[in-house]
Amino acid sequence: MSSSPQHPGPAPMDHSGTDVEDLALYREKFRRRLPESLDELHGPARGVVELPLHVAWSGMTSYDLGKPRQRMGLYRTVLHEGLRDDLPLYLNQDLLLELWPVLRTLVGRTVRTVWEDAFPRLAQRTRAAA
């Protein structure tokens, strides 16, 4: 069958078989959530953080920032599930920069790429830590 408006041809695929259009939409979802600057991230640096259910819908909702694994879990959850207004409330610029070299390995490729493209300081932190 030929490609026509009624019967479009198959969507372009990347090397892994992912629909390129779907991947672009997925990236855009995360780009729209980004703050203008890392300076906007004034979330807590210590204490216990309670995430709302729209962010922590499938797991823990309470995180003790004094515990490294919980701190990393909070950041991973907020980066993946947080909305634009959530990021400044729950992420702290200094902690994000400190955690990024390891955190970047725990988040999905799309999240990592979107954040590093928008904020080169994150990628620089990774190179400096290597």
Side-chain angles (χ1 to χ4, degrees), residues 14-95:
D14 72 4
H15 296 293
S16 67
T18 302
D19 182 325
V20 174
E21 187 174 321
D22 287 349
L23 186 55
L25 289 171
Y26 190 59
R27 281 189 181 130
E28 187 57 29
K29 171 181 118 171
F30 289 106
R31 269 193 211 102
R32 283 185 300 220
R33 296 176 181 183
L34 291 173
E36 293 293 320
S37 163
L38 292 178
D39 293 334
E40 293 178 27
L41 305 179
H42 294 291
R46 59 185 169 277
V48 174
V49 176
E50 299 286 336
L51 291 178
L53 288 177
H54 75 270
V55 177
W57 53 269
S58 69
M60 289 177 53
T61 58
S62 181
Y63 295 84
D64 183 343
L65 293 176
K67 297 181 178 180
R69 290 181 79 152
Q70 288 189 30
R71 184 172 53 235
M72 200 68 75
L74 169 81
Y75 274 66
R76 183 175 184 268
T77 299
V78 173
L79 288 171
H80 275 275
E81 305 297 337
L83 302 176
R84 186 179 185 104
D85 291 342
D86 296 319
L87 301 178
L89 293 175
Y90 300 110
L91 299 180
N92 177 283
Q93 173 183 274
D94 294 335
L95 271 180

